[in-house]
Amino acid sequence: VLAQSYIHPDQVFPETRFIQTLQGLEARVAGTNQLRDWPLSGNRIPQVSSAGGQVLESHKRFMERVTDDPLLLRRTGSASLLLTKEDMQGSFAPVRPMLKIREVFASGAILVDDLAMRPVAWTVFDWRTTSTFSEDKLSSQDHPLVEGAALPAQIPGATGEVEVEKSSRSDRITIKTKLSAPGILLIANTWYPGWEATVDDEAVPLLRAEGLFQAIELGS
């Protein structure tokens, strides 16, 4: 006999000020490990757990590195951040002028807009190629890590334009790009076996960037 307890959606996502605010945002929200175990929505569910209680190992390793280098959150494609008072006074203090406070919740969480946040998809012409990922190599002050990249990096003066088409589908993303030289498109969606990529209707390898995200070589 298989059995599973059922939690009504109203219990998981109650009508709190916190939930209403997040639902009203049109962009992603990221947060530091300071908030990992906070039941911010009142549902007593740790915020890093999925509905089934599963946590991707790659995500866990990335977030552990964020503890020491919080500005890595700027590569998650999240326009807003949930921070604590300790975050604001500590690791994020140097970039405080770039953080615009949107709301402070009764729980102590602070919702801010990061004016220097990266978009969901962007192009790079400088990167570090690696064959084996190590979270110790992650750095917000260095070029992104891309596993298995074949293109030569460090193309001076190159530029790229990226447009992500809006869609209600969660299993497909369409991106239009215009590059002045060969480069790599970084997509702040989780790399996972089963995803496939095409460029101009031709199948291309889907690489892994920063140990967690998706990357595609363009113009090779």
Side-chain angles (χ1 to χ4, degrees):
V1 176
L2 298 178
Q4 185 178 33
S5 59
Y6 174 74
I7 302 177
H8 193 276
D10 289 343
Q11 292 179 281
V12 179
F13 302 109
E15 287 296 322
T16 65
R17 184 186 184 95
F18 176 80
I19 291 297
Q20 291 174 345
T21 300
L22 295 192
Q23 288 177 336
L25 297 176
E26 296 183 356
R28 298 178 180 178
V29 179
T32 68
N33 276 344
Q34 292 271 14
L35 297 169
R36 178 175 55 191
D37 299 321
W38 286 26
L40 295 175
S41 62
N43 56 19
R44 300 181 300 282
I45 299 176
Q47 302 305 302
V48 295
S49 298
S50 67
Q54 301 300 313
V55 178
L56 288 176
E57 181 65 25
S58 56
H59 180 268
K60 177 183 177 181
R61 292 167 67 185
F62 182 89
M63 290 304 298
E64 286 174 348
R65 186 71 185 96
V66 165
T67 301
D68 298 321
D69 189 356
L71 293 186
L72 280 170
L73 290 175
R74 286 180 166 168
R75 297 183 179 176
T76 64
S78 305
S80 299
L81 298 173
L82 273 173
L83 304 177
T84 65
K85 181 180 178 180
E86 290 74 20
D87 289 325
M88 297 287 282
Q89 296 177 343
S91 54
F92 280 86
V95 295
R96 178 63 184 84
M98 299 182 185
L99 304 179
K100 179 181 178 182
I101 295 179
R102 180 184 287 263
E103 188 157 356
V104 178
F105 298 99
S107 64
I110 305 169
L111 181 65
V112 303
D113 293 334
D114 187 349
L115 304 181
M117 186 65 72
R118 288 283 186 177
V120 172
W122 48 292
T123 54
V124 294
F125 303 93
D126 296 280
W127 58 87
R128 293 175 291 155
T129 302
T130 181
S131 57
T132 304
F133 171 72
S134 171
E135 59 267 32
D136 294 335
K137 298 179 181 178
L138 289 172
S139 173
S140 63
Q141 305 303 311
D142 207 340
H143 302 308
L145 283 169
V146 181
E147 297 177 48
L151 283 171
Q154 299 181 351
I155 301 174
T159 60
E161 299 177 10
V162 177
E163 178 187 351
V164 180
E165 294 188 357
K166 292 185 177 181
S167 173
S168 59
R169 295 182 59 171
S170 60
D171 61 345
R172 183 184 181 92
I173 180 172
T174 302
I175 303 172
K176 295 181 179 179
T177 63
K178 183 178 180 181
L179 280 66
S180 64
I184 290 182
L185 174 69
L186 297 182
I187 308 169
N189 287 343
T190 304
W191 183 95
Y192 196 80
W195 278 98
E196 299 176 347
T198 60
V199 176
D200 295 333
D201 297 324
E202 295 290 335
V204 296
L206 185 63
L207 307 179
R208 182 160 59 171
E210 305 286 51
L212 179 61
F213 306 118
Q214 301 172 352
I216 300 173
E217 292 184 317
L218 298 176
S220 57

